[in-house]
Amino acid sequence: MNLTLHVWRQPNASERGRFVTYQARDISPDMSFLEMLDVVNEGLTVNGEPPIAFDSDCREGICGTCGMVINGRAHGPRARTTACQLHMRSFEDGDTITIEPWRAASFPVIRDLVVDRSPLDRIIAAGGFVTAPTGSAPEANSLPVPKENAELAMDAAACIGCGACVAACPNASAMLFTAAKVAHLGLLPQGQAERERRALAMVWQMDAEGFGGCSNHRECEAVCPKGITIDNIARMNRDYIRASAARGRRLADDEGGAG
Ligand code: SF4
Ligand code: FES
């Protein structure tokens, strides 16, 4: 296959970027999208030009690092498919493909297609954990989990933190990501002790990082490579409201006690 690529090139966060056109020749339909970029980069390197910078790690659809916007869609044209799992047979010989980084103020471009997604790490650090004592794994049947909750928790835990939901949202909201991380612990018995604190801390951190609120467009759900649903956002909102009300009551009690 021969393709024309319009690729966003930007040397760093402070310099302006622009689209540069490249020809990708003799591309196998069985190559992944990232392998196609590897071939283009080999050609650029041979010509003494800087290769196109993009993130990747596992190349198996599980690490979440390879996010980029391909022909206007986060991770490209195939549903539930990360950019590394997208194969060139999804395109036609002679196609023109536009490749851009995630576009969100909270995800500044580091170089070319690489953006800084550390705000997602800070949301996790704010509360996406359980402070349970560590040690040997408990006997599996000692803590029963209703099957429905186990399934829902596993579905939410499938989020790989790629940030496609942010890139697709007109409001650059990180609510689908945050909701998945709040939900997968909030649905399990082990996550109950910190459920209130977690919902408050992670939502506050999400806001502090400059992500917008849910736009109700459901673009996040449409592009999510792991099929995370917006049901999780509704669950997070319920947790957040319940936690805010409980916190308000405690503050009122404290003030009453002090008076
Ligand atoms: S919710 Fe989906 S799109 Fe958003 S970070 Fe998680 S896996 Fe990626
Ligand atoms: S490189 Fe890991 S998900 Fe694509």
Side-chain angles (χ1 to χ4, degrees):
M1 301 171 74
N2 293 319
L3 304 148
T4 301
L5 310 181
H6 295 312
V7 185
W8 185 259
R9 302 298 312 259
Q10 185 171 337
N12 53 52
S14 50
E15 285 182 64
R16 289 174 71 92
R18 66 191 176 98
F19 282 103
V20 178
T21 302
Y22 300 101
Q23 301 301 321
R25 299 198 189 285
D26 299 326
I27 300 298
S28 162
D30 297 327
M31 280 181 185
S32 75
F33 200 83
L34 301 191
E35 286 168 337
M36 181 275 292
L37 287 177
D38 290 339
V39 170
V40 173
N41 275 346
E42 275 173 22
L44 290 175
T45 308
V46 166
N47 290 335
E49 294 178 51
I52 301 159
F54 62 90
D55 268 332
S56 73
D57 187 6
C58 69
R59 299 202 177 202
E60 291 182 342
I62 53 175
C63 76
T65 60
C66 60
M68 59 185 77
V69 175
I70 301 166
N71 283 345
R73 188 178 159 99
H75 287 297
R78 294 191 72 84
R80 299 206 180 183
T81 307
T82 51
C84 61
Q85 294 287 286
L86 176 67
H87 289 92
M88 296 314 295
R89 53 182 171 269
S90 302
F91 300 89
E92 302 286 333
D93 185 31
D95 270 359
T96 296
I97 305 175
T98 303
I99 311 169
E100 303 165 76
W102 289 165
R103 305 278 189 193
S106 301
F107 286 165
V109 172
I110 295 172
R111 186 186 178 106
D112 298 339
L113 306 175
V114 179
V115 301
D116 177 3
R117 285 175 300 173
S118 59
L120 299 187
D121 298 334
R122 290 192 288 273
I123 293 173
I124 294 282
F129 49 81
V130 283
T131 50
T134 54
S136 58
E139 205 286 313
N141 291 324
S142 63
L143 200 56
V145 180
K147 179 161 172 52
E148 187 189 357
N149 284 7
E151 298 275 352
L152 290 170
M154 285 298 284
D155 288 349
C159 167
I160 55 174
C162 63
C165 45
V166 176
C169 176
N171 219 7
S173 172
M175 285 189 88
L176 194 67
F177 164 80
T178 309
K181 300 301 178 189
V182 167
H184 89 256
L185 293 170
L187 282 159
L188 296 172
Q190 294 90 336
Q192 297 313 304
E194 288 141 327
R195 185 168 171 176
E196 275 184 17
R197 199 195 70 81
R198 176 181 309 112
L200 291 173
M202 292 181 77
V203 170
W204 289 341
Q205 188 64 37
M206 179 184 77
D207 288 344
E209 297 290 348
F211 293 108
C214 176
S215 62
N216 289 319
H217 280 67
R218 301 182 72 170
E219 290 290 330
C220 55
E221 189 180 71
V223 300
C224 175
K226 297 299 166 184
I228 307 294
T229 67
I230 60 166
D231 298 353
N232 290 292
I233 296 180
R235 192 175 293 112
M236 178 176 74
N237 286 342
R238 286 197 296 275
D239 272 12
Y240 181 79
I241 289 167
R242 200 180 301 120
S244 298
R247 185 170 179 269
R249 276 197 302 275
R250 279 197 296 274
L251 287 173
D253 287 349
D254 289 352
E255 282 171 16

